[in-house]
Amino acid sequence: MAVWMVNLRPKSSVAAWLSSDTIFGAIFWALKHVHGEAELQKWLQCCRSDPTQVAFSSAFPFIATDPLIRFLPKPITLNPTAQIVAKWQSDRCKLLKAMETAKEVSKASFISESLFAQATKGELTAEKLLEQVMSGQIALKSSCLLSAEEAKATPTRFWSTVDTQHTAVDRVLTSAAEGLLYFDTEHFFAPKIGLYFLVRCPDDFPLEAILRFLSHSGVGGNRTVGKGHFEWSAEPANQWLSSLEAQNGNAVVLLSRCTPKPEEFDWQKSLYRLASKRPKFESAFGQPMRVYKGIIRQLLEGSVLCPKQVKPAYGQLLKVGDAQGWDGKPHPVFHNGIGFPLRVVMPNEMA
């Protein structure tokens, strides 16, 4: 199995952060157009095998400094608890500062690879993290935690999220329709900021051709009006990923969203976050039978889980309905719930 790191350098704003299910859909639609239906079915079958042979992480930011700084999802075990904050209860001023800092740390989404490596090996705990943020040894920028030394070489803001106002057009009057204003969310990135995601796949997976296709088509919402366009490149990531992973880990942290199979994890020992979403069927390459796939609940990135069996990937593809292609033939539609895991050490106080 090969692990590839796909780097995305933005050429435009993006309509939404690229999660693993969005990336999966973009890559497999591109696979169908580049290599045809037979090749698509072959690799879908590989995804439905146990264990699955293809897995994608979600997209995370990187900063093109020297050296380059990559971020990963903050493990949920690093969120400070009330018991940790109570350590400062003898000093009211420090207690209030600890409470405020704990809230900021809990809201952070990403953590630099150097801190992430310490966390996976059990060297960085929630208590140590809170202490170092309070003392200034660790900085918080744009929902990202990084060391003070790393923060010196980075811009003040990594990206900006704005709501852009639009108005619907009256097709009869060919002018703005009265009272039909709506807003789109867009993410704009600073000059040296990019995104990357990981792909675990067999050596013969046609990744290079797919990335060339996506460099022209874009990925995500509103790509037909110029959003979600990137310069794509890929490089091997096995060695880099091994440097982050705990060889003696007793748990896994998710680098993607995941819909687990029954009995995959010990839920009493696991810490996780859930999200419910109502994704749409892809309509650019055919006519779906309905707009929405239905309510889908998934484990989020950063969840720390105790598996009952060590596997290269967890979770499953969900069959969510059928769609009709331009040739008039119906075909099944799947939603990606395959988890991309990385071995970590579960802190003793949470095991």
Side-chain angles (χ1 to χ4, degrees):
M1 283 285 188
V3 178
W4 294 91
M5 180 186 294
V6 180
N7 300 301
L8 293 75
R9 297 184 181 272
K11 297 195 290 184
S12 66
S13 62
V14 296
W17 207 267
L18 301 181
S19 59
S20 54
D21 43 2
T22 298
I23 293 170
F24 175 92
I27 285 181
F28 271 74
W29 273 112
L31 174 63
K32 178 180 179 180
H33 283 79
V34 174
H35 289 280
E37 182 69 25
E39 193 75 3
L40 172 68
Q41 294 302 325
K42 167 191 168 182
W43 288 108
L44 279 176
Q45 189 58 41
C46 289
C47 292
R48 301 182 72 187
S49 62
D50 190 13
T52 182
Q53 299 180 42
V54 182
F56 301 90
S57 78
S58 295
F60 310 118
F62 71 80
I63 308 177
T65 55
D66 187 16
L68 189 143
I69 303 172
R70 296 189 184 277
F71 292 89
L72 293 109
K74 184 194 67 181
I76 196 172
T77 51
L78 292 183
N79 286 344
T81 61
Q83 290 78 8
I84 292 174
V85 175
K87 174 183 175 181
W88 288 272
Q89 62 183 349
S90 60
D91 188 320
R92 179 176 175 80
C93 290
K94 289 185 177 180
L95 177 62
L96 292 175
K97 181 181 179 181
M99 293 172 62
E100 182 180 354
T101 306
K103 290 179 181 179
E104 294 176 354
V105 170
S106 297
K107 292 177 182 178
S109 302
F110 307 106
I111 187 170
S112 70
E113 58 186 285
S114 60
L115 298 179
F116 185 87
Q118 296 178 41
T120 59
K121 297 173 176 62
E123 299 168 2
L124 180 65
T125 62
E127 183 175 346
K128 290 181 180 178
L129 177 62
L130 181 58
E131 290 174 351
Q132 292 182 31
V133 173
M134 291 176 65
S135 65
Q137 295 174 264
I138 294 178
L140 176 61
K141 287 186 175 183
S142 298
S143 299
C144 297
L145 291 163
L146 65 168
S147 70
E149 289 298 318
E150 293 172 329
K152 291 178 182 178
T154 60
T156 304
R157 297 180 69 182
F158 299 163
W159 58 80
S160 177
T161 301
V162 299
D163 291 326
T164 306
Q165 180 177 302
H166 301 273
T167 183
V169 174
D170 189 312
R171 302 300 177 184
V172 176
L173 301 177
T174 64
S175 61
E178 184 178 354
L180 292 180
L181 295 177
Y182 66 96
F183 292 85
D184 274 339
T185 300
E186 295 183 62
H187 305 280
F188 294 86
F189 295 94
K192 292 186 177 181
I193 308 299
L195 300 175
Y196 77 96
F197 63 89
L198 301 169
V199 183
R200 180 179 282 122
C201 60
D203 294 336
D204 58 338
F205 186 73
L207 184 62
E208 183 180 352
I210 290 171
L211 296 184
R212 283 202 303 268
F213 180 91
L214 292 176
S215 68
H216 297 289
S217 67
V219 61
N222 292 335
R223 58 187 180 273
T224 56
V225 293
K227 311 302 179 185
H229 286 260
F230 301 90
E231 293 179 2
W232 301 67
S233 63
E235 59 185 280
N238 293 74
Q239 187 175 354
W240 178 78
L241 206 59
S242 297
S243 68
L244 300 177
E245 197 167 28
Q247 301 304 318
N248 59 338
N250 58 351
V252 297
V253 60
L254 289 180
L255 303 187
S256 68
R257 299 188 175 184
C258 178
T259 303
K261 296 177 183 177
E263 307 301 326
E264 274 192 321
F265 300 107
D266 185 341
W267 298 110
Q268 298 299 321
K269 298 180 180 179
S270 301
L271 295 172
Y272 53 89
R273 291 189 302 133
L274 288 171
S276 299
K277 59 186 300 186
R278 194 184 180 204
K280 292 182 178 180
F281 284 91
E282 177 61 77
S283 59
F285 309 112
Q287 183 60 47
M289 308 220 174
R290 60 181 191 272
V291 176
Y292 293 99
K293 296 178 180 179
I295 301 296
I296 295 176
R297 292 180 177 86
Q298 293 183 305
L299 301 171
L300 291 183
E301 303 89 342
S303 296
V304 180
L305 311 167
C306 293
K308 295 183 178 179
Q309 181 183 357
V310 177
K311 297 192 293 185
Y314 298 91
Q316 58 189 310
L317 282 186
L318 294 175
K319 186 177 183 298
V320 293
D322 295 282
Q324 186 173 331
W326 294 121
D327 56 3
K329 297 179 181 179
H331 60 82
V333 177
F334 297 95
H335 191 87
N336 180 37
I338 299 170
F340 193 113
L342 196 67
R343 293 179 66 184
V344 300
V345 173
M346 178 71 81
N348 293 330
E349 64 270 18
M350 297 180 180

